[in-house]
Amino acid sequence: MKDVRKKHSKRVTVIGGGTGSSVILRGLKKYTENITAIVTVADDGGGSGVLREDLGMLPPGDIRSCILSLADEEGIMQKLLNYRFEEGRLKGQSFGNLFIAAMNGISGSFMEAIKNVSDVMAIKGTVLPVSLESVTLCAELANGEIVNGESQIPLKAMEKKSKIKRVSISPHEINPLPEAIEAIINAQAVIIGPGSLYTSIIPNLLVEGIEDALRRTKAKRFYIPNIMTQPGETDDYDVLDHVEAIEAHLKNPKEKIFDYVVINRGKEIGEPLDIYKSGGAERVRFIEEKFEGKSYKLIKGDYIDIKQNYIRHDADKIAEVILERV
């Protein structure tokens, strides 16, 4: 394996949002500073949803997480921006979200606010919303019911015991951030995922121009599915189910938008897996025979990292295995 840590010029673009992107970004920043994170703007739940509704701003939660992941120092400022109020009217709200909201208030635009917060945190890389337009995520369930709102989709799917058939964004055509398109086109590696399949990954791909940019780029393109299924989103899904769900949402599903699929073939997880199972999650199965005849290149290895019973990808191993192919 090449020592990719000595190379600091690889241009990497990560598409997603939430915890999944944050984990991968923490690994990548040890190997390159030329990182761009493109983040979904469909979040309408929790503290982000409150700020989105009250202030009419884009949801800051996933953007905050990515900025913190790319920060040069993960000390007291990290703890401060991740702090969530435990009582009063601000209960459940994170200080980081309020910080971005305040910065948005004193800045000329939301993009300027993100840049200013990024400068304060001295991040290695750039964080971009996929669009500056307000978006509502909608889902059609297998039973025909339509659900509006990112936070409601998995809840309704579980309540109705009906799988997600398809998601869409409203308005249907929104403009991408030009810098996001540029970051995809100019990248040497584009990483899609990990993250919530229907509420973090696919919404980015539905934004006008993103799918086309993923086909035009000369970058090596990687998809990283989640290690665990998510109740209400990917119950009983195996790796190929994740891939085919993405393909089904493309304008031209016959033209693939990634070259590699990173497959976790890690050791038995043990007690943490039991904890996840009690919440309705299972390990995402990989059935190699199902990929026969597919043109995807499979990268298989032990990429599990368990800390405090949280099952995550091993960000360092993922960064190495991707960058050595670029």
Side-chain angles (χ1 to χ4, degrees), residues 240 265 285-293 298 300:
L240 186 61
R265 299 297 301 273
R285 293 168 292 119
F286 168 62
I287 305 170
E288 191 152 10
E289 296 76 23
K290 295 181 71 171
F291 276 88
E292 291 179 1
L298 305 181
K300 295 175 282 187

Side-chain angles (χ1 to χ4, degrees), residues 94-106:
S94 82
F95 178 76
N97 284 355
L98 297 177
F99 182 52
I100 293 176
M103 190 69 80
N104 186 55
I106 65 172

Side-chain angles (χ1 to χ4, degrees), residues 39-64:
V39 183
T40 179
V41 292
D43 186 8
D44 68 350
S48 286
V50 171
L51 292 174
R52 177 177 176 172
E53 183 176 346
D54 284 356
L55 303 180
M57 63 181 290
L58 290 177
D62 287 349
I63 290 171
R64 181 199 81 242

Side-chain angles (χ1 to χ4, degrees), residues 17-33:
T19 303
S21 290
S22 300
V23 169
I24 298 302
L25 293 172
R26 280 195 170 90
L28 286 170
K29 74 179 182 182
K30 299 176 184 177
Y31 302 90
T32 177
E33 296 186 4

